[in-house]
Amino acid sequence: MVTQTPIRTSGQQSVNSRSTGADEIPMSPRRVAPLGFAALATGLLVAIFIVPGQRTPIAIAAVAGALAVIAVLVGVIRGRAAPPTPWIVLAVGMTCWTASLLVTGDQMRTGGRSAPGAPEAIAALGAAWMVVGVVGITAPARRSRDLFAGSDSVIVALAASASIWLVVVDPVVVDLTPPFPVAAWFLGFVSIDLALAVVAFRSAIARTTAAATYAIIGAAFVVAAAAHLWSWLVLIDEPSGFHRSLLAVSLVAPLLLGVAALRSSDGPGDGVVPVDSLHWGRVIGLTVSAVVPVTVLAVLVATGHDPVSGTSIVVVAVSSVIIVSLVIARVGAMVVEVRRLAEQRGQVRLAAMVEYSNDVVMIVDATGTVTYASPGVAAALGHRPGDWIGRRLVDAVDEDARHLAVAHFGALIESGRDHTVEFETMLVGRDGQRRHGNVVMVNRIGDHAVDGVVVTFRDITEQRDLERQLSHRAFHDELTGLANRALFLDRMDHALRINRPEAEPVMVLFIDLDDFKDVNDVHGHGVGDETLRVIAARIREAAATGDTAARLGGDEFAVLLEDSGGIDRAIELSERLLAALREPVVVGATEVVVLASIGIAVAPAGASTTSLLRDADIAMYEAKRAGKGQVRIFDPAMRRVASRHLAYRSELSSAIERGQLRVVYLPYVDLRTGEVRGAEALVRWQHPEHGEIAPSEFIPIAERTGLIVPIGHWVIGEALDQIASWRSDLDLFVSVNLSAAELRQHDLLEHLRDAVRSRGLAPSRLMLEVTETDLMEGGERSLRAVAELREHGFGLALDDFGAGYCSISHLQRHPVDMLKIDRTYVGELGRDATDTTLARAILRLADTLGIVSAAEGVETPEQLHELRRSGCRLGQGYLLSGALEAPVVARRFGHSAGAVPAPQP
């Protein structure tokens, strides 16, 4: 079903007027004129009934008719009745109408009324003028193919007239002699009036701005039909009488037309032109109109009212034949119209799709010459559509791909009509830019509408770029741009599958950044991400062209070596990487130094990606255990160690609950008096199967897994319990090692304060040992943490001094209570002059800063002698005392101040 859609003409305006005053709304002159005329017309009609005599009503009727004609002419002059010509024609018809009415009135006055006569002749002339006028007036509301214009109105009028004949005329004309000529005249007038009323009302239904005007015109002709019918009945009933009511009713029609002319504003640009419309309601209306005469006649016969007039039978038969013939013709026209509208709308839609589509549509002949190019060619290739007419189709294709396009076009021509070819190619724009295009060619040569090959280009550059980006993201690390784990494993698998015994073996470097978590914790993830980008760039630069550098995740990287060079190139690349990573990374105002541990694995025969990467990982962990910043090459023995460490990792978490951990104490001995001043709490792990496991094995595991924090808390608790069991007058202290992970705990200070408070101890009884590396690499956060601990009374010892960073400025800004000299310097005392000098310098520095000095690893009398000569205060080592179990410490320091023998040099 096609719905009716108004199309507003270009000159139409919409005015939304609002009153400027609160109470006064002025009346538009457009409304005053018709209302005044209507009032005057009403007064004249009333006068016809009340004035005495018969000449005066006729004179009033003449005045009223003249006023109606004048009203139409005034409307034309003022531009309200438009278009003007049909209204002027209608005025001529109204003049004839009035003249016919005056002649009829005069005949009624003189008693000489007969029909048909002069009034009917004048009325017939007027009816012809009115038909032309009404059709012209309603033209703006119709289209030439409007279904209710023309014959549709005749069909409805004939159906109504036939019904009127059967219901009204037939009961009367049966007694008249001869009935048909007179009745035919008046029935003809009634049919014309009804047809014009249908045309006017149909225009009003079209929802135009002149709908009210058309409705008034339709009402006028309905009244005219009633007046003609009444006039005929009066002629039959009382031909010699003077009927004021008939005269007045007959004047209503021209007066209504005058009102319509005064209020009409359907000028140029003020109307609405509806599009052709069609729906089943109209089809049903025409069908009903076709069967109405026969249906009415059948009802009259069925109810016993048998029309005996032979004339009536003729009228019904003729009307039915005419109506059915017109309906058949109209239905046929409707079918044609539906097809035309469907084809037209399809063409319009296709044209709009081609016009506004970004796709390029071309039509080319059998030689490949362009005969049509759509506007989309401007957006896609930068050409005007007209520039392509007469050019070759392949000119739009990149030169490297033209041979393929020519081959596809030739195959399409050989395949014949309705065949389709689709392929992708590279298009070239006017500016030389290359674009990915999807090409669809359909052979329509011989088609009367196209007669050529329809070629459609669709720009898919963005789609291909997006696919490429998605593919890159699927196999590359988004942060660093390196290959990700999936791509690395795929290339490693490929390298292993094509590896031959005579070729260089495949090797993998596993790179893990040392203590990178501290960078994120101290400087934030923004600095950490930028550091990873810089490190990734350095790894990419160090690797060769044929190598694959990847980020496996977090701070883990890997490099796959496939080129020749063997293990020597792997070692050389590892050393270059370590040298490159030693260079500080500068991010804004922050300078970060991150070292790495590298494991190298060489693929044996039959190696898989999983086993090769696992071996490199194991070698990397061995490098970390060796002191970080190291390179290690995998060997099978490492796998056994790694397996043992993996087992330790899973068992260490439950070691505390199972009572496998214990604390031993290594005394601090006063080197001058030989008395014990305190002890260092050291954790030991007694494994039920492997015996005692060295701290150097399980402490790194605890640090990597985060178990160092709960283990550290447990050691502190045990040490404080031990202090609480000693005599209070001994004033001994216990030192506990703090890891970098413990220093990062935000609740460290609160935990330690609660621990000493719950045992009734002073914070000074607990000495906290931190290494230079943990303290300095932790940055301001670690320095702030130890400063807060010292402010709250806890002792602070700097462990392994000289083994890592040496920053005297930090010692001045953040002083400590004890400086522990690394065992490396102590071991060379008396043997290496340089190390002896360094050890003495450290001791003098401690003495100058007022810090207690302590030496680690005192094992020979010569070392002890040099330490005493240099002024070292405290010492630890097997020469002085080994680590003591908790029961021994309790017995020795529970009642008296113990001492250990101080060997003499």
Side-chain angles (χ1 to χ4, degrees):
M1 183 176 68
V2 182
T3 58
Q4 187 175 22
T5 306
I7 301 177
R8 189 172 298 278
T9 58
S10 60
Q12 184 174 359
Q13 298 177 352
S14 176
V15 180
N16 181 18
S17 58
R18 298 185 179 181
S19 60
T20 56
D23 301 320
E24 183 179 356
I25 303 178
M27 177 93 51
S28 170
R30 176 182 165 187
R31 300 178 60 187
V32 173
L35 289 176
F37 176 77
L40 178 60
T42 302
L44 292 174
L45 293 177
V46 173
I48 291 176
F49 285 98
I50 63 176
V51 296
Q54 295 181 349
R55 288 182 179 273
T56 303
I58 294 175
I60 295 174
V63 173
L67 287 176
V69 174
I70 292 171
V72 173
L73 296 177
V74 169
V76 171
I77 293 172
R78 293 188 175 181
R80 295 178 182 172
T85 301
W87 282 99
I88 295 174
V89 172
L90 184 64
V92 174
M94 293 168 59
T95 303
C96 295
W97 181 303
T98 303
S100 172
L101 182 60
L102 294 177
V103 174
T104 299
D106 187 64
Q107 288 181 354
M108 287 190 299
R109 183 181 64 80
T110 59
R113 177 84 173 96
S114 62
E120 284 70 36
I122 298 173
L125 180 61
W129 286 97
M130 287 188 175
V131 168
V132 175
V134 171
V135 171
I137 291 171
T138 58
R142 296 177 290 107
R143 294 176 64 91
S144 60
R145 293 182 174 86
D146 188 21
L147 296 179
F148 269 87
S151 61
D152 292 346
S153 301
V154 175
I155 292 171
V156 175
L158 284 176
S161 299
S163 301
I164 293 172
W165 181 281
L166 290 174
V167 176
V168 179
V169 178
D170 181 73
V172 179
V173 300
V174 68
D175 297 328
L176 297 180
T177 304
F180 184 73
V182 177
W185 271 95
F186 287 93
L187 190 61
F189 287 133
V190 171
S191 298
I192 292 173
D193 293 337
L194 293 177
L196 294 179
V198 170
V199 171
F201 284 132
R202 173 68 189 109
S203 299
I205 296 174
R207 296 182 182 178
T208 68
T209 56
T213 300
Y214 296 141
I216 295 174
I217 294 173
F221 284 102
V222 170
V223 174
H228 278 118
L229 185 60
W230 192 359
S231 177
W232 176 73
L233 293 175
V234 167
L235 180 63
I236 294 174
D237 223 13
E238 193 179 352
S240 59
F242 184 78
H243 298 274
R244 296 171 182 263
S245 58
L246 177 60
L247 190 62
V249 171
S250 298
L251 285 172
V252 171
L255 291 173
L256 287 174
L257 294 175
V259 173
L262 290 175
R263 78 169 312 282
S264 177
S265 61
D266 193 19
D270 198 38
V272 174
V273 181
V275 181
D276 289 332
S277 59
L278 174 65
H279 51 78
W280 288 108
R282 295 190 175 186
V283 178
I284 295 173
L286 291 176
T287 304
V288 171
S289 298
V291 301
V292 160
V294 179
T295 302
V296 173
L297 180 60
V299 170
L300 292 175
V301 172
T303 57
H305 185 84
D306 186 10
V308 295
S309 170
T311 302
S312 299
I313 298 299
V314 173
V315 169
V316 172
V318 172
S319 299
S320 298
V321 171
I322 295 174
I323 291 172
V324 171
S325 300
L326 289 175
V327 167
I328 292 174
R330 292 302 294 138
V331 170
M334 288 164 58
V335 174
V336 174
E337 182 71 2
V338 168
R339 291 177 179 174
R340 186 192 66 81
L341 288 175
E343 182 178 354
Q344 181 182 9
R345 285 184 172 86
Q347 293 174 350
V348 171
R349 288 171 181 169
L350 178 59
M353 290 171 61
V354 174
E355 181 78 16
Y356 298 105
S357 174
N358 289 329
D359 294 348
V360 179
V361 179
M362 291 184 178
I363 299 178
V364 300
D365 59 18
T367 65
T369 302
V370 178
T371 59
Y372 168 81
S374 69
V377 72
L381 301 177
H383 296 276
R384 293 179 299 180
D387 296 342
W388 275 96
I389 306 302
R391 293 183 60 181
R392 296 188 310 152
L393 175 65
V394 293
D395 290 345
V397 182
D398 183 66
E399 290 186 2
D400 296 337
R402 286 183 182 178
H403 65 284
L404 179 62
V406 171
H408 282 302
F409 186 81
L412 180 69
I413 297 298
E414 293 179 1
S415 300
R417 183 174 169 179
D418 294 333
H419 280 77
T420 301
V421 172
E422 183 174 0
F423 60 96
E424 289 189 17
T425 189
M426 193 66 67
L427 305 177
V428 181
R430 185 176 183 181
D431 56 358
Q433 186 177 5
R434 301 167 76 239
R435 311 283 294 175
H436 289 279
N438 177 264
V439 183
V440 178
M441 298 191 296
V442 182
N443 190 343
R444 299 294 297 172
I445 295 177
D447 189 318
H448 71 281
V450 178
D451 191 23
V453 177
V454 180
V455 182
T456 303
F457 295 103
R458 172 168 294 178
D459 190 343
I460 58 173
T461 304
E462 293 183 359
Q463 177 182 341
R464 291 293 175 262
D465 290 343
L466 178 60
E467 291 175 355
R468 187 165 54 252
Q469 292 174 9
L470 292 176
S471 176
H472 185 273
R473 289 183 180 180
F475 294 104
H476 289 81
D477 178 60
E478 189 172 356
L479 178 64
T480 63
L482 297 179
N484 62 10
R485 179 181 288 270
L487 180 58
F488 185 79
L489 292 176
D490 179 74
R491 292 188 177 178
M492 187 162 57
D493 179 69
H494 176 73
L496 292 173
R497 282 189 286 107
I498 66 172
N499 189 27
R500 297 292 184 269
E502 64 275 8
E504 293 287 351
V506 176
M507 288 172 291
V508 171
L509 274 62
F510 198 106
I511 308 163
D512 187 87
L513 304 183
D514 296 331
D515 303 316
F516 184 77
K517 188 176 185 301
D518 295 342
V519 177
N520 286 329
D521 291 342
V522 175
H523 303 292
H525 288 275
V527 173
D529 289 346
E530 186 59 32
T531 302
L532 288 175
R533 292 191 189 97
V534 174
I535 290 174
R538 294 178 182 178
I539 293 174
R540 185 188 297 110
E541 183 179 354
T545 305
D547 300 336
T548 300
R551 181 188 179 206
L552 303 182
D555 58 355
E556 294 180 343
F557 298 85
V559 180
L560 174 66
L561 280 67
E562 299 183 67
D563 293 343
S564 60
I567 192 65
D568 292 336
R569 194 171 82 85
I571 295 174
E572 186 269 336
L573 174 59
S574 300
E575 292 175 347
R576 279 193 289 117
L577 284 175
L578 292 181
L581 294 179
R582 290 191 186 99
E583 294 294 326
V585 176
V586 180
V587 182
T590 304
E591 185 175 288
V592 180
V593 176
V594 180
L595 301 180
S597 298
I598 301 178
I600 302 174
V602 180
S608 65
T609 57
T610 303
S611 63
L612 182 58
L613 193 61
R614 180 197 61 204
D615 292 346
D617 188 15
I618 292 173
M620 181 272 298
Y621 273 110
E622 286 299 315
K624 282 189 178 295
R625 292 182 67 249
K628 303 180 181 179
Q630 306 286 327
V631 179
R632 288 292 183 272
I633 301 173
F634 175 80
D635 66 66
M638 290 182 180
R639 188 178 295 124
R640 293 190 294 271
V641 174
S643 299
R644 187 169 67 249
H645 283 187
L646 183 62
Y648 289 167
R649 184 181 305 180
S650 61
E651 296 173 356
L652 185 58
S653 59
S654 59
I656 298 176
E657 289 78 4
R658 295 177 180 177
Q660 297 174 4
L661 297 184
R662 74 183 194 280
V663 177
V664 297
Y665 299 89
L666 183 63
Y668 284 98
V669 178
D670 190 326
L671 298 183
R672 294 171 300 180
T673 66
E675 295 183 349
V676 174
R677 299 301 181 189
E680 180 180 2
L682 302 173
V683 64
R684 295 290 185 265
W685 183 12
Q686 187 67 32
H687 195 278
E689 297 179 6
H690 303 290
E692 185 168 302
I693 301 173
S696 59
E697 287 196 54
F698 73 85
I699 292 298
I701 296 174
E703 290 177 343
R704 288 196 295 268
T705 60
L707 293 173
I708 193 65
V709 174
I711 291 177
H713 287 176
W714 178 80
V715 171
I716 291 173
E718 289 292 309
L720 292 177
D721 288 340
Q722 189 65 55
I723 297 175
S725 67
W726 295 344
R727 284 173 47 191
S728 59
D729 60 338
L730 294 180
D731 196 25
L732 300 177
F733 68 88
V734 171
S735 68
V736 178
N737 291 280
L738 282 183
S739 66
E742 291 176 280
L743 280 175
R744 290 193 296 265
Q745 297 297 311
H746 65 278
D747 60 345
L748 175 62
L749 175 61
E750 182 179 355
H751 171 74
L752 293 176
R753 291 178 63 186
D754 290 343
V756 295
R757 186 184 300 115
S758 63
R759 293 169 174 83
L761 299 174
S764 59
R765 303 287 297 278
L766 181 63
M767 180 77 70
L768 303 173
E769 297 189 18
V770 295
T771 65
E772 290 180 282
T773 301
D774 291 340
L775 182 62
M776 302 309 172
E777 288 187 355
E780 292 297 328
R781 182 172 178 178
S782 295
L783 294 174
R784 211 167 35 245
V786 296
E788 290 178 353
L789 291 171
R790 198 163 184 272
E791 288 176 2
H792 285 80
F794 293 97
L796 183 64
L798 193 58
D799 198 9
D800 298 334
F801 188 81
Y805 298 103
C806 290
S807 178
I808 299 175
S809 62
H810 279 103
L811 290 177
Q812 292 175 325
R813 289 164 47 202
H814 304 283
V816 296
D817 298 289
M818 181 186 296
L819 199 64
K820 297 184 68 173
I821 305 172
D822 187 74
R823 65 178 59 247
T824 304
Y825 297 105
V826 175
E828 298 299 327
L829 285 175
R831 292 189 300 172
D832 186 278
T834 301
D835 287 338
T836 300
T837 302
L838 288 174
R840 289 174 179 173
I842 294 173
L843 292 172
R844 285 196 298 270
L845 172 64
D847 186 60
T848 301
L849 295 177
I851 302 174
V852 174
S853 56
E856 298 179 294
V858 181
E859 298 178 354
T860 66
E862 291 78 15
Q863 295 169 357
L864 179 60
H865 175 70
E866 288 294 335
L867 289 172
R868 284 176 172 172
R869 285 183 55 192
S870 302
C872 184
R873 297 277 301 278
L874 301 178
Q876 287 180 303
Y878 291 111
L879 179 64
L880 303 175
S881 174
L884 305 177
E885 296 290 342
V888 176
V889 172
R891 288 196 304 270
R892 181 169 295 183
F893 304 112
H895 303 287
S896 62
V900 294
Q904 299 297 320

